[in-house]
Amino acid sequence: MAQTIAIVDYGMGNLRSVYQACHHVAPNDNVLIAHQPEEIRAADRVILPGQGAMPDCMKHLEDSGLLEALLEASRNKPLLGVCVGEQMLFDKSAEVRPNEEWTPCLGLIPGEVLRFNLAGKKQADGSAFKVPHMGWNQVRQDQSHPIWRGIPDLTSFYFVHSYYVKPQRKDDIAGSTEYGEWFTSAVARDNIFATQFHPEKSAEYGLKLYQNFVSWQP
């Protein structure tokens, strides 16, 4: 029986590539870009993508009218966060507007979002680490999880980001990546899974991750 997969459209996500990835791995399901709260409430599972600055993402989500429906879905539906969509799940972000200390986020996973501080650190070839972290990098699987099924440990995925999540609880860390220092690149809690990297830009194993998500029964 076909299910409905809602990709949350609050004006700040790479929706087309996420849509195409989901449609590719679940051609018989109803994949939709959700503009209305009712579409999220009626969906079987939800994807929260995100691109851009955190203050803008949070404001657009609040202004879109989709926030309450998203929070409802987060309580009982499989939810996948991607890139800034992962960061939004945490309590607060250090990516702020001028004269502000933190940007409040969704508070679904305890912890905060921090900016890379890699000044003075050198890569193996002697060059400085650049921010944003951009390109392919390995993900160490820190816990066994159905979303990792069929994906080898230390598989490389595609990243573009200057900020990363720092969970309060070690049990919420599903994957880590080294870039000047080790940082959390995937998180899992109950019915929520989220990645800092972009599975839709990560070739075969990125598609495998989406395939695992659309069949995941938390």
Side-chain angles (χ1 to χ4, degrees):
M1 183 170 149
Q3 63 179 338
T4 297
I5 304 163
I7 303 168
V8 181
D9 180 13
Y10 57 98
M12 297 291 290
N14 185 21
L15 304 182
R16 196 69 203 165
S17 58
V18 174
Y19 173 87
Q20 290 172 337
C22 290
H23 184 68
H24 179 82
V25 301
N28 298 320
D29 288 337
N30 178 30
V31 182
L32 62 88
I33 294 176
H35 309 282
Q36 303 296 328
E38 294 74 22
E39 294 173 311
I40 297 173
R41 292 188 172 105
D44 298 290
R45 54 192 69 229
V46 176
I47 299 174
L48 178 66
Q51 287 186 178
M54 179 65 76
D56 295 332
C57 286
M58 288 305 301
K59 185 177 189 306
H60 278 71
L61 179 59
E62 290 161 3
D63 292 348
S64 71
L66 302 177
L67 175 58
E68 190 56 43
L70 173 64
L71 291 174
E72 290 172 16
S74 74
R75 292 193 277 271
N76 53 29
K77 295 179 180 181
L79 172 64
L80 177 67
V82 177
C83 194
V84 178
E86 178 208 38
Q87 297 175 9
M88 292 170 76
L89 301 175
F90 283 74
D91 292 322
K92 59 185 182 179
S93 173
E95 187 173 16
V96 296
R97 299 194 191 283
N99 303 317
E100 293 181 353
E101 185 175 2
W102 295 97
T103 296
C105 300
L106 297 174
L108 298 175
I109 298 177
E112 57 196 21
V113 182
L114 302 174
R115 194 178 199 276
F116 280 116
N117 181 11
L118 303 175
K121 295 187 178 182
K122 302 291 185 181
Q123 303 194 65
D125 62 3
S127 64
F129 283 95
K130 295 180 180 179
V131 179
H133 170 217
M134 183 181 299
W136 295 82
N137 205 339
Q138 292 180 323
V139 174
R140 182 187 71 200
Q141 297 173 16
D142 293 320
Q143 62 170 278
S144 177
H145 195 283
I147 299 293
W148 293 135
R149 190 179 67 250
I151 300 173
D153 193 19
L154 300 179
T155 290
S156 290
F157 292 92
Y158 189 79
F159 290 82
V160 184
H161 65 120
S162 300
Y163 292 78
Y164 63 94
V165 300
K166 185 178 180 181
Q168 281 185 11
R169 289 175 11 122
K170 185 178 179 181
D171 289 350
D172 292 335
I173 300 173
S176 298
T177 296
E178 188 175 16
Y179 187 69
E181 59 193 23
W182 283 95
F183 69 92
T184 297
S185 54
V187 295
R189 169 177 276 228
D190 301 327
N191 56 303
I192 298 173
F193 194 93
T195 67
Q196 181 60 67
F197 54 84
H198 288 270
E200 69 280 359
K201 298 180 181 178
S202 298
E204 173 189 358
Y205 288 116
L207 289 175
K208 179 61 176 172
L209 191 148
Y210 276 115
Q211 184 180 52
N212 290 341
F213 172 70
V214 302
S215 62
W216 177 37
Q217 299 296 333

